[in-house]
Every structure is written in C-alpha cells, then in structure tokens.
Amino acid sequence: MPEFPTLAKLAEDLESGRTTARKLVEACIARIADPSGEGQRAFIHVDKDAALTTADAMDALRKVKAAPSRYAGIPISIKDLFDIKGQTTRAGSRALDDSDPAEHDAAAVARLRMAGFVVIGRTNMTEFAYSGIGINPHYGTPKGAWNRAEGHVPGGSSSGAAVSVLDGMAHGALGTDTGGSCRIPAAFNGIVGYKPTQRRVPLDGSVPLSFSLDSIGPLARSVSCCAILDAVLANEPVTALKPRPVRGMRLAVPTTIALDDLDAEVAETFERALKSLADHGAIIERIEMAEFHDIGPMNAKGGFAASESYAWHRYLISAKGDVYDPRVAVRIMRGEAQSAADYIDLLNERRSLIARVNARIAPYDALVLPTTPNTPPKIADLADDKAFTRENIRALRNCSLINMIDGCAISLPAHRQGDVPVGLMLAGAGGSDRRIFELAAGMEAVIRV
C-alpha cells in the first residue's frame, strides 16, 4: 500500500506551489472511483462538484495570500453521522432515507470548513454507530488494511473514515468515538485515531448514540495530523506539537481487564512496544485498576448507550424497525427495559468511577494498553451472530474503559511493517489532551522497532 503524505507535508506543498487543492481533490476522487479499490464501500456519498469548486476557491485565495489556514484545500472525509448543509444525514442507515436535508453544517464540519479543509464526501459506518466491527448490511462493508484478498473487517463504527485515510481517498477524516469508534478502526488499519475529552468538541449536528459518551475526533496518518485536526475541531489555535522525550515518561499499564484474552499477535506486539519504550528510558509500572471491575456491572442492562439511544430511536424504530440492521436494533431495544432509577444510578456510579480512577492515575503521565485485544477478524467469519457478538465485545472492551472515565486517548500503530495491524493506546484523564499528544508524538517512532 502506498505511503501518503501528512497534513504538514501537504501544507508545505500547497504553500510552495508544488501542488494545488484541485490536484489533491482530483487525486482523491480518482482513488474513490477506482473500481479495484474500496471507494464504493468506504463512501456513501461523494460530493465531487462541490469539492472541486471549493478546491478552486482555496487555490484562488492562496494566490492572493488570503487562505483561511495553511491547510486550506486539503480534502477530508466526513462520517455519515454529521449534518452537511443541503444533504440528508443517514447515519449509515436506510431508516433516515426520507429525512429532510440538513439546514446547517454540524458544528465540527463548520469548523473544518472555516479552516479551509475540503469536504470530499460522507463515509460509510456501522448503522447508527452501534458496533466496533464496522459491518454495514445496507451500504456494504469496506475491507480493512489487513489481507484484503481474504477480507477483514475495517473496525467501527468509523469504518469508511479509516479506509478513506488508509487508501488516500482523503487526507484526514472526521469520526466519532463512543466506545472506541475512532480508535478501533485506526488500530485495525494501522493509522492514528484520537478520542478527545468529550467537552472540547461540540456534538451539535451529529446523530447521537450516547450523549453522555459520544466524542468527536479525527483519524489521520500521524500524531501531528490528529493534533492539527483536533485543534481545529476544538476551536483552539493550531500550534506546533513538541514531542516529549521518552526518557523519564511515567507510564502505567493497567493489568485489570485490559490485558485479558489478548490475541497472540496483540500480546507480542504490545510487549515489544513496552520493551522498546523501557529501553529508551520510559518508566513503566504495571498497576491494578480495581475500578475497571465496576464498569461491567454498570453496563449490565446496556448502560448509557442503550438507554440514551433508545430515547432517541424509540419512535423511529417503532415506525421503521424492519429496515434496521437486526444486530443494531436488538442493542438499542435493551434501553426499553431500563428505568429512570437505573439511569440515575448510572449517572451517580459514573461520577464516582471518574473520581476514583483520576486519583489512581494521577502519579502517571498516561495509561498505556492495547487498543483492542483482538486483531481484525475476517468478515466471512462474522456471519454467525454469536461470533459477531463475541468479537464486537472484545473490540470495544479496552476503548470503552476510557469513555466511561471521561478520558482522552489516542491509538498508535505498534506493529511492524507487513504484520497484522495492532494498536497501542495512550490514555489520560479528561483535560489532559495536550499531554497525550506530546507523549504520543515522542513515542510514535519508538514503539514500532
């Protein structure tokens, strides 16, 4: 698979005149249209004409030194969960086919446009974002990076987002993350995915899964790329990212739940990455996180995702439940059985969980753990519902720990070239986003030796 440039390199090429926004957009459109590629499954809609018109506008602005940012003209993809003015937001479903077109861009989309990024199209996703696997029976399932001849899952729910970046159909992607939906597809495709502290990026204009847990984040080719997009999404200044030296990093490996039932390749890659970090001077401590044991019982009745998604879907699913993916519908309907008292208990238990975990991890710079315990399963092997459920729960397990503690986290590729993709996750308490980016930038190259 070819190597595609980072956002910084693309910005340099645009500034120097080595390329233009139109050329970048035309190249992405050609890759999407390639019948031998995954574009027809990775994208639900491609906005070719608008993308080319926007690219021309950004080129004209750059000529008169009026580009809105140095990244103006770079094409990005948008997960089908977000409103784009004049388009129907389907959230990877057929149940919203007859919805009115959006009157406004989602807040996150508007911020990317203000920086001059070119929206190239809407990417495929798990229906209503309700799975970490990435299978979609309505629009097809894009094949992930690993062993495409066999066909392995791309990870979800931001499946098309990851594949669009991987295959150079976009140079960055807007995704969401409720229990790993940026980080899982990043891990399964050997790219970088970021889940920010939830409150930093507004959810306005996106179809909710769980408004308590939903976070809006980027998928891209490097830590610095994700940091750039994250700053734009959070409406913060885009400043140079200063990698922290690995020597002296204090990293905690949670031994509770996070290291259970790892595939052999995941365990081997993770331990090799830890050894490399230690060899470069990182201080690594394995710690018990007893608090993680509380999360399973909290989610026994479906947790926030079931209760909050049911509240949003209850009328739609009553009217159009027959067109829902049955694997999604059954999870949403778990929320019907939750009482108001159950939900209030969840809110109180989560507040306690966050406080206790934050106190435990305060002495460390970050937690480090495998992004997923499993490698990407074959699509064909998940036709069986039991197999699908087992692998979906495994894929979501580690990432969802961080959403439940209101943290921030990044997934970095940790595997060697040619090996099955494995992600290493770096996570911290809510509000520690900049530190996580600096740590990740410092260890990015070190963990793949």
Side-chain angles (χ1 to χ4, degrees):
M1 199 159 289
E3 288 285 329
F4 294 104
T6 63
L7 295 182
K9 179 64 167 64
L10 289 167
E12 291 172 6
D13 289 347
L14 286 165
E15 287 172 355
S16 69
R18 287 190 295 269
T19 192
T20 64
R22 173 168 270 269
K23 287 179 180 177
L24 294 179
V25 168
E26 286 176 339
C28 287
I29 289 171
R31 293 185 194 106
I32 295 169
D34 182 354
S36 67
E38 293 299 309
Q40 303 308 304
R41 289 175 287 276
F43 281 83
I44 286 174
H45 174 73
V46 179
D47 209 354
K48 177 181 176 180
D49 292 341
L52 289 169
T53 299
T54 305
D56 289 342
M58 291 303 131
D59 285 335
L61 287 170
R62 182 166 276 106
K63 282 182 181 177
V64 295
K65 311 297 183 187
S69 82
R70 64 192 302 258
Y71 308 102
I74 297 176
I76 57 168
S77 66
I78 305 294
K79 187 177 182 177
D80 192 42
L81 210 64
F82 292 94
D83 286 347
I84 297 174
K85 185 178 179 179
Q87 298 181 14
T88 298
T89 305
R90 291 179 170 83
S93 179
R94 292 295 186 185
L96 298 178
D97 276 350
D98 57 358
S99 299
D100 292 334
E103 295 183 2
H104 307 282
D105 286 341
V109 174
R111 288 178 175 182
L112 291 166
R113 284 199 202 269
M114 286 177 63
F117 286 100
V118 178
V119 173
I120 200 147
R122 311 178 69 96
T123 51
N124 198 358
M125 54 180 284
T126 304
E127 184 181 47
F128 293 117
Y130 222 142
S131 144
I133 293 295
I135 288 175
N136 187 304
H138 310 297
Y139 299 99
T141 301
K143 296 176 183 177
W146 178 243
N147 201 347
R148 279 204 166 153
E150 281 189 339
H152 290 247
V153 300
S157 60
S158 308
S159 53
V163 174
S164 74
V165 173
L166 173 74
D167 286 5
M169 297 183 282
H171 294 291
L174 180 64
T176 60
D177 192 309
T178 306
S181 287
C182 283
R183 291 162 289 162
I184 297 166
F188 281 3
N189 288 284
I191 61 173
V192 181
Y194 189 65
K195 177 246 178 288
T197 303
Q198 188 201 40
R199 58 185 176 269
R200 292 179 55 248
V201 183
L203 301 173
D204 307 28
S206 60
V207 176
L209 170 55
S210 164
F211 52 80
S212 291
L213 304 177
D214 292 345
S215 301
I216 294 173
L219 297 91
R221 298 191 182 106
S222 70
V223 174
S224 65
C225 291
C226 279
I228 290 163
L229 292 170
D230 172 76
V232 172
L233 292 170
N235 200 25
E236 297 171 355
V238 179
T239 57
L241 185 61
K242 296 180 180 177
R244 291 203 184 189
V246 174
R247 183 167 299 282
M249 286 183 185
R250 290 184 55 82
L251 304 173
V253 178
T255 59
T256 307
I257 296 177
L259 301 184
D260 294 348
D261 189 28
L262 301 183
D263 283 356
E265 298 93 337
V266 175
E268 180 183 344
T269 300
F270 182 65
E271 291 300 330
R272 186 174 66 235
L274 291 182
K275 182 179 184 303
S276 181
L277 288 168
D279 289 346
H280 284 80
I283 302 162
I284 298 173
E285 184 178 345
R286 296 175 189 258
I287 64 170
E288 291 187 10
M289 294 280 289
E291 298 81 6
F292 283 174
H293 285 304
D294 297 342
I295 294 175
M298 288 170 65
N299 289 328
K301 295 183 178 181
F304 287 109
S307 59
E308 293 174 355
S309 66
Y310 178 72
W312 192 89
H313 283 270
R314 64 190 188 276
Y315 301 118
L316 183 64
I317 208 168
S318 176
K320 298 184 177 181
D322 58 321
V323 300
Y324 275 61
D325 178 352
R327 289 171 169 174
V328 170
V330 72
R331 299 179 75 193
I332 293 172
M333 291 305 297
R334 292 185 72 195
E336 186 179 31
Q338 288 193 43
S339 67
D342 291 331
Y343 185 72
I344 290 168
D345 285 346
L346 262 179
L347 292 172
N348 291 332
E349 289 165 2
R350 188 182 184 217
R351 276 193 289 269
S352 170
L353 174 73
I354 291 168
R356 288 180 287 122
V357 169
N358 286 355
R360 187 178 293 276
I361 67 177
Y364 304 97
D365 291 321
L367 295 175
V368 61
L369 58 160
T371 307
T372 67
N374 49 348
T375 56
K378 291 181 188 177
I379 295 171
D381 289 349
L382 302 185
D384 175 76
D385 284 346
K386 287 185 178 179
F388 172 87
T389 299
R390 181 181 64 251
E391 292 304 315
N392 184 48
I393 290 171
R394 292 182 71 207
L396 291 163
R397 186 193 70 194
N398 286 4
C399 287
S400 63
L401 299 173
I402 309 306
N403 295 78
M404 284 296 290
I405 65 169
D406 193 29
C408 54
I410 194 165
S411 178
L412 307 173
H415 57 287
R416 288 173 172 162
Q417 189 72 29
D419 288 350
V420 62
V422 172
L424 178 143
M425 179 163 54
L426 199 63
S432 61
D433 300 75
R434 193 65 183 178
R435 182 172 78 237
I436 293 299
F437 275 125
E438 291 171 353
L439 292 164
M443 66 172 62
E444 189 170 20
V446 168
I447 60 174
R448 301 190 76 174
V449 296

